[in-house]
Amino acid sequence: MPTKSSRLTTLPAGLVPLLTMPQIETYYGVSDWQVLQWIKAGMPVAPFAGRQRRFDLAEVQAWMAEQDADSSPQLVAASA
C-alpha cells in the first residue's frame, strides 16, 4: 500500500492554493481578531463557495505592502 507522502502531487504551474483564516493567522503571527480587523479595513478575500473565508496570499501580500506604504511617514521638503 502506498504511503501518504508518495501520493502527494505538485500543483500545476500557475495554480496557487487559497489559504484559510488559521493559515493567514499563522503566516502573519496574529490573532483571528486582527485578521477580522484587516478584512474590515479592506484586505482582499477570495470568492469561495462555503461559509469559510479563503485568501490569495499574493493579493494579501500586495494589500499589506500598500498599507505599509500608506502608513509610513512621508518626507516633506521644506519650501524655501
Side-chain angles (χ1 to χ4, degrees), residues 63-73:
W63 183 81
M64 288 290 194
E66 184 179 299
Q67 299 307 305
D68 288 343
D70 289 347
S71 66
S72 64

mmCIF file of all heavy atoms in Angstrom, residues 63-73:
data_model
loop_
_atom_site.group_PDB
_atom_site.id
_atom_site.type_symbol
_atom_site.label_atom_id
_atom_site.label_comp_id
_atom_site.label_asym_id
_atom_site.label_seq_id
_atom_site.Cartn_x
_atom_site.Cartn_y
_atom_site.Cartn_z
ATOM 1 N N TRP A 63 -1.726 43.824 -0.685
ATOM 2 C CA TRP A 63 -2.542 44.729 0.133
ATOM 3 C C TRP A 63 -1.750 45.188 1.351
ATOM 4 O O TRP A 63 -1.781 46.363 1.716
ATOM 5 C CB TRP A 63 -3.830 44.022 0.565
ATOM 6 C CG TRP A 63 -4.756 44.900 1.347
ATOM 7 C CD1 TRP A 63 -5.625 45.825 0.859
ATOM 8 C CD2 TRP A 63 -4.878 44.946 2.780
ATOM 9 N NE1 TRP A 63 -6.296 46.434 1.899
ATOM 10 C CE2 TRP A 63 -5.858 45.917 3.080
ATOM 11 C CE3 TRP A 63 -4.267 44.260 3.814
ATOM 12 C CZ2 TRP A 63 -6.229 46.212 4.389
ATOM 13 C CZ3 TRP A 63 -4.642 44.553 5.115
ATOM 14 C CH2 TRP A 63 -5.613 45.523 5.395
ATOM 15 N N MET A 64 -1.014 44.258 1.981
ATOM 16 C CA MET A 64 -0.192 44.614 3.149
ATOM 17 C C MET A 64 0.885 45.628 2.768
ATOM 18 O O MET A 64 1.134 46.581 3.504
ATOM 19 C CB MET A 64 0.465 43.374 3.750
ATOM 20 C CG MET A 64 -0.492 42.476 4.459
ATOM 21 S SD MET A 64 -1.051 43.261 5.980
ATOM 22 C CE MET A 64 -1.778 41.871 6.797
ATOM 23 N N ALA A 65 1.529 45.421 1.625
ATOM 24 C CA ALA A 65 2.563 46.348 1.167
ATOM 25 C C ALA A 65 1.967 47.734 0.921
ATOM 26 O O ALA A 65 2.581 48.754 1.252
ATOM 27 C CB ALA A 65 3.220 45.825 -0.094
ATOM 28 N N GLU A 66 0.768 47.766 0.369
ATOM 29 C CA GLU A 66 0.075 49.039 0.123
ATOM 30 C C GLU A 66 -0.248 49.733 1.441
ATOM 31 O O GLU A 66 -0.102 50.947 1.565
ATOM 32 C CB GLU A 66 -1.206 48.761 -0.662
ATOM 33 C CG GLU A 66 -1.971 49.990 -1.067
ATOM 34 C CD GLU A 66 -3.214 49.614 -1.853
ATOM 35 O OE1 GLU A 66 -3.091 48.995 -2.912
ATOM 36 O OE2 GLU A 66 -4.319 49.955 -1.375
ATOM 37 N N GLN A 67 -0.678 48.960 2.441
ATOM 38 C CA GLN A 67 -0.992 49.539 3.751
ATOM 39 C C GLN A 67 0.258 50.092 4.414
ATOM 40 O O GLN A 67 0.229 51.146 5.036
ATOM 41 C CB GLN A 67 -1.635 48.485 4.665
ATOM 42 C CG GLN A 67 -2.935 47.934 4.150
ATOM 43 C CD GLN A 67 -3.940 49.012 3.800
ATOM 44 O OE1 GLN A 67 -4.271 49.855 4.618
ATOM 45 N NE2 GLN A 67 -4.418 48.998 2.568
ATOM 46 N N ASP A 68 1.384 49.374 4.277
ATOM 47 C CA ASP A 68 2.646 49.846 4.847
ATOM 48 C C ASP A 68 3.088 51.139 4.185
ATOM 49 O O ASP A 68 3.574 52.051 4.845
ATOM 50 C CB ASP A 68 3.741 48.786 4.707
ATOM 51 C CG ASP A 68 3.527 47.613 5.647
ATOM 52 O OD1 ASP A 68 2.747 47.759 6.615
ATOM 53 O OD2 ASP A 68 4.137 46.553 5.407
ATOM 54 N N ALA A 69 2.904 51.225 2.868
ATOM 55 C CA ALA A 69 3.296 52.433 2.139
ATOM 56 C C ALA A 69 2.412 53.611 2.547
ATOM 57 O O ALA A 69 2.885 54.744 2.665
ATOM 58 C CB ALA A 69 3.198 52.202 0.637
ATOM 59 N N ASP A 70 1.132 53.357 2.768
ATOM 60 C CA ASP A 70 0.207 54.432 3.156
ATOM 61 C C ASP A 70 0.465 54.912 4.584
ATOM 62 O O ASP A 70 0.255 56.078 4.888
ATOM 63 C CB ASP A 70 -1.253 53.946 3.058
ATOM 64 C CG ASP A 70 -1.691 53.775 1.609
ATOM 65 O OD1 ASP A 70 -0.986 54.247 0.702
ATOM 66 O OD2 ASP A 70 -2.751 53.137 1.412
ATOM 67 N N SER A 71 0.898 54.021 5.454
ATOM 68 C CA SER A 71 1.060 54.410 6.854
ATOM 69 C C SER A 71 2.452 54.939 7.175
ATOM 70 O O SER A 71 2.668 55.479 8.245
ATOM 71 C CB SER A 71 0.755 53.223 7.765
ATOM 72 O OG SER A 71 1.723 52.205 7.573
ATOM 73 N N SER A 72 3.404 54.793 6.246
ATOM 74 C CA SER A 72 4.756 55.297 6.544
ATOM 75 C C SER A 72 4.769 56.816 6.457
ATOM 76 O O SER A 72 4.105 57.415 5.625
ATOM 77 C CB SER A 72 5.772 54.700 5.569
ATOM 78 O OG SER A 72 5.497 55.121 4.253
ATOM 79 N N PRO A 73 5.523 57.458 7.331
ATOM 80 C CA PRO A 73 5.548 58.926 7.307
ATOM 81 C C PRO A 73 6.190 59.431 6.012
ATOM 82 O O PRO A 73 7.205 58.906 5.571
ATOM 83 C CB PRO A 73 6.402 59.287 8.531
ATOM 84 C CG PRO A 73 7.147 58.048 8.876
ATOM 85 C CD PRO A 73 6.352 56.889 8.362
#
